[in-house]
Amino acid sequence: MKIYAVNGGPRKKHNTAKLLQAALSGAAAAPCAEAVETEMIHLYDLDFQGCMSCFACKRLGAKSYGRCGFKDALSPVLEKLSQADGIIFGSPIYFGNVTGKLRCLLERLLFAYLVYDKAYSTLAPKRMPTAFLYDMNVSREEMEQYGYRSGLERMEMFVGRIFSRPAVLHICNTYQFDDYSKYRAERFSEPEKAAWRDSHFPLDLAEAGRMGAAMVTGGRQTV
C-alpha cells in the first residue's frame, strides 16, 4: 500500500509539511495486513504548469486519452498518484484558497479523468481514499465569516467525484513567522499566537496522525 502526501506549500519544515508528515506517520503506523509505504511530494520543488487546455486527455484514440498529455516536471508525479492507494493534499490558505501550485496539480490530475458524458463519470484507474489538510492564520470564526469553508468545498466535491469523498481537517490560527518582531504584523498578537500554537498545534498534529491512520484502516476523520 502506498500513501502519498502532496505539500502544496512552499516551506518544507513549517506548518503544512509538519501536518502532512504527522498524517504519513499515522498511516505508516496503522494496523494493516500489508506494508504501508509513504512519500511526501513537495510541489514547490517542481517546475510545472496548470492545465494547458490542450484536451489531449479527451481526444478519442489518443495515447493520452484519460490522462494528462502535457509533459513537464509534474508528469511523473501524476503517474505516481494515478496508482496511489491514498492521497493527502495539504496547503496553507492564501486569499481564502489553496496555493496556486496545488491548484495547478489538481487541474492536471482531475481534469484528465473527468469524462464529458451526461453523468460526468470518471476514468480514474482506481477509487482511493483522499484527504485535505488546510492550515491558515485566521481563527476558526474568521474562516467561517470569510467563507473559506464553502470555497474550499468546491474542489473537494470534484475530488470526491473522481476518487472518493475526502476527509478534511482545518487548522486555524497558525503561527506564521519564526520571529514576529522582524515583520510588520500588528494585526496579530505574537504572545497570543505563540500560546495558541503551544496549546493547540500538538492536538492538530495528533488529529492529522489519526486522519492518516484512518486512510489505511478504512475509517473517516472529518473536522
Side-chain angles (χ1 to χ4, degrees), residues 3 22-28 30 88 207-217 221:
I3 306 295
L24 289 181
S25 297
I88 307 164
E207 196 69 25
R210 287 190 286 272
M211 172 185 276
M215 180 165 286
V216 172
T217 61
Q221 188 70 32

Side-chain angles (χ1 to χ4, degrees), residues 48-57 68-72 74 78 103-104 107-109 111-112:
F48 66 93
Q49 309 292 325
C51 178
M52 300 298 289
S53 199
C54 66
F55 296 106
C57 61
C68 183
F70 188 77
K71 301 300 180 185
D72 59 11
L74 191 64
L78 296 176
R103 169 75 190 205
C104 286
E107 288 176 359
R108 299 269 298 277
L109 178 67
F111 185 60

Side-chain angles (χ1 to χ4, degrees), residues 6-8 41-46 48 74 77 101-102 105:
V6 178
N7 180 13
I41 297 170
H42 296 284
L43 293 184
Y44 276 77
D45 283 348
L46 305 173
F48 66 93
L74 191 64
V77 173
K101 280 285 191 181
L102 182 55
L105 175 135

Side-chain angles (χ1 to χ4, degrees), residues 99-195:
T99 63
K101 280 285 191 181
L102 182 55
R103 169 75 190 205
C104 286
L105 175 135
L106 290 168
E107 288 176 359
R108 299 269 298 277
L109 178 67
L110 301 178
F111 185 60
Y113 296 143
L114 188 67
V115 181
Y116 277 169
D117 58 12
K118 292 182 179 180
Y120 279 120
S121 55
T122 174
L123 293 171
K126 60 167 76 172
R127 301 284 286 179
M128 67 179 79
T130 60
F132 278 96
L133 293 169
Y134 307 113
D135 56 282
M136 60 199 85
N137 76 337
V138 299
S139 68
R140 188 166 293 271
E141 292 74 21
E142 289 170 315
M143 178 187 76
E144 300 291 357
Q145 176 187 346
Y146 301 149
Y148 285 14
R149 186 192 296 269
S150 59
L152 295 167
E153 285 175 347
R154 285 191 285 272
M155 187 60 75
E156 294 164 17
M157 176 193 70
F158 287 109
V159 169
R161 178 179 290 277
I162 299 298
F163 295 122
S164 69
R165 180 172 176 263
V168 179
L169 183 61
H170 302 94
I171 298 92
C172 298
N173 201 28
T174 53
Y175 197 81
Q176 195 169 14
F177 309 115
D178 292 331
D179 183 351
Y180 274 69
S181 69
K182 295 180 179 179
Y183 304 91
R184 181 164 188 181
E186 62 266 25
R187 168 69 175 77
F188 306 103
S189 166
E190 190 277 336
E192 291 179 4
K193 282 279 191 180

